[in-house]
Amino acid sequence: MSEQPATSPYDALLLLSFGGPEGPDDVVPFLENVTRGRGIPKERLKEVGKHYFLFGGVSPINEQNRALLDALRKDFAEHGVNLPVYWGNRNWAPYLTDTLREMTNDGRRRIAVLATSAYASYSGCRQYRENLADALATLTAEGLELPRVDKLRHYFNHPGFVRPMTESVLASLADLPEDVRAGAHLAFTTHSIPETAADTSGPVEAHGEGGAYVAEHLDVARVIAEAVREETGVAYPWRLVYQSRSGAPHIPWLEPDICDHLETLHGEGVPAVVMVPIGFVSDHMEVLYDLDTEATAKAADLGLPVRRSATVGADPRFAAAVRDLVLERAATERGRAVERCALGALGPSHDLCPAGCCPARAPRPAAAGADSPYA
């Protein structure tokens, strides 16, 4: 009997992302998709969308996903991985449901899913799983034979995600004026979320102050800071800070905000800062506006030199990490023991989200987890 392919039982990979507008006319409809069910007036959405209008109504995320698709297909081809790669978004074309329908009609029966969110949280994991369940419910209503979908594990501490960011920090430090470089601080940034969502992120045993969301970011920050120290001989001070808050003022969200942090550092006499967006896979709108525009303008007002390091984007090492995650999960599904790559103290994440992991605000079906209604 011939040996099974290394990708078995999977016959496709789905890149699942957030999506973004690709022109001025797309901005409000896109935001209506994102905020559906919250009753936000259209005029308010136009105000919220001002960040997009500053950039011609175009979010860079879709183009960045196209680049990642190309990188994945190139890596797979070069390494003999015969697995087609599809792309679907939660909030804009190509929509997830349409892509899953296409995959089903193409005969795909077992699908590995890579979400463009590396960490545990409701919005970064379970909400993607809820969207998968919604899409599968639609296909069921259409009478289609459902594929099985398996979400790949969190990759926040995979070397192919962490090492490109480390090199970007080194490049940003080197780009600072020499007279302020040695005294610089590192500000590791990620998306702020409500404290209650952070506290219940990850499996139940990880719940507590900050939950898995904060713990995972802190672990990655430590790994990068230590790698920078080993390379430069300088132990740069660092802190995990937050950006892109969007909630009601009376609800506690994770702090400090990056702009507040820059002001604090300036007041303490810190001569320069490197902003490190470890919470983001690519340089999409939250990075482009909240860091490159708003935070950079704040630093300029303070007279504080800043640099912003790059995200992994379509780095070949990240594409190789995705290949590794696919082959690792495939081997596990075939009952084989595999070595799982992970840096830091937390180790590799779980394959299957357990019950109670990143609970929803209200009960909703979620695919690709222990509580999934879709086997």
Side-chain angles (χ1 to χ4, degrees):
M1 182 180 293
S2 60
E3 187 174 351
Q4 290 179 303
T7 55
S8 178
Y10 298 109
D11 53 17
L13 173 67
L14 169 62
L15 176 65
L16 176 56
S17 192
F18 191 81
E22 299 198 80
D25 294 339
D26 296 343
V27 173
V28 171
F30 163 73
L31 292 173
E32 288 175 332
N33 289 340
V34 174
T35 62
R36 181 171 286 117
R38 302 183 201 173
I40 299 176
K42 183 170 290 189
E43 290 307 311
R44 173 59 182 154
L45 292 179
K46 289 179 180 178
E47 174 66 19
V48 172
K50 65 183 180 181
H51 301 171
Y52 293 98
F53 291 121
L54 286 174
F55 299 93
V58 179
S59 167
I61 193 170
N62 280 353
E63 193 57 40
Q64 289 161 3
N65 280 325
R66 293 183 185 102
L68 179 55
L69 279 173
D70 289 343
L72 291 173
R73 289 165 177 158
K74 181 175 185 290
D75 178 90
F76 284 11
E78 289 176 347
H79 292 86
V81 175
N82 185 23
L83 199 70
V85 186
Y86 295 73
W87 170 35
N89 289 325
R90 290 170 48 193
N91 298 297
W92 201 248
Y95 287 103
L96 168 60
T97 300
D98 295 336
T99 300
L100 273 181
R101 184 184 298 109
E102 176 189 1
M103 298 176 81
T104 300
N105 289 333
D106 286 349
R108 310 304 176 193
R109 306 262 47 89
R110 188 78 180 267
I111 299 167
V113 180
L114 177 79
T116 55
S117 177
Y119 300 85
S121 71
Y122 171 75
S123 57
C125 182
R126 185 178 178 89
Q127 195 168 18
Y128 282 88
R129 294 175 48 223
E130 290 176 353
N131 293 145
L132 283 166
D134 290 343
L136 291 171
T138 298
L139 300 189
T140 298
E142 294 173 359
L144 296 176
E145 181 182 356
L146 295 186
R148 174 169 167 175
V149 296
D150 293 336
K151 182 177 177 291
L152 298 175
R153 68 175 172 95
H154 300 301
Y155 46 85
F156 63 91
N157 55 4
H158 194 288
F161 184 68
V162 176
R163 286 177 178 151
M165 290 192 292
T166 302
E167 289 189 7
S168 294
V169 174
L170 291 168
S172 293
L173 285 167
D175 191 49
L176 283 170
E178 188 173 358
D179 61 334
V180 299
R181 188 180 306 145
H185 282 220
L186 308 180
F188 292 97
T189 76
T190 191
H191 209 299
S192 184
I193 61 175
E195 289 181 1
T196 54
D199 294 346
T200 56
S201 58
V204 172
E205 60 269 20
H207 293 179
E209 187 175 355
Y213 185 75
V214 172
E216 289 169 0
H217 282 87
L218 286 173
D219 203 43
V220 171
R222 289 188 193 100
V223 169
I224 294 175
E226 177 59 21
V228 169
R229 185 198 64 78
E230 290 178 357
E231 182 69 24
T232 64
V234 179
Y236 289 98
W238 62 271
R239 183 168 183 179
L240 177 64
V241 299
Y242 303 93
Q243 61 176 89
S244 312
R245 174 181 172 142
S246 58
H250 68 280
I251 298 175
W253 283 51
L254 293 174
E255 296 178 337
D257 177 77
I258 177 61
C259 290
D260 295 337
H261 183 58
L262 293 176
E263 191 162 356
T264 297
L265 292 181
H266 178 258
E268 294 172 351
V270 171
V273 178
V274 172
M275 301 181 292
V276 190
I278 59 171
F280 305 93
V281 172
S282 65
D283 291 0
H284 52 65
M285 187 57 71
E286 280 86 350
V287 177
L288 193 65
Y289 181 81
D290 296 322
L291 294 183
D292 292 355
T293 305
E294 191 173 48
T296 299
K298 178 68 172 180
D301 289 343
L302 295 168
L304 178 65
V306 295
R307 298 293 185 271
R308 196 270 292 173
S309 65
T311 54
V312 297
D315 189 290
R317 289 165 293 184
F318 182 48
V322 175
R323 168 170 43 89
D324 182 57
L325 291 170
V326 170
L327 297 180
E328 165 200 291
R329 181 66 180 272
T332 300
E333 293 296 318
R334 297 197 307 273
R336 296 191 176 184
V338 291
E339 182 178 353
R340 295 164 176 259
C341 293
L343 301 174
L346 296 181
S349 187
H350 49 262
D351 279 337
L352 196 67
C353 291
C357 190
C358 305
R361 301 162 190 148
R364 283 184 61 189
D371 55 357
S372 171
Y374 302 98

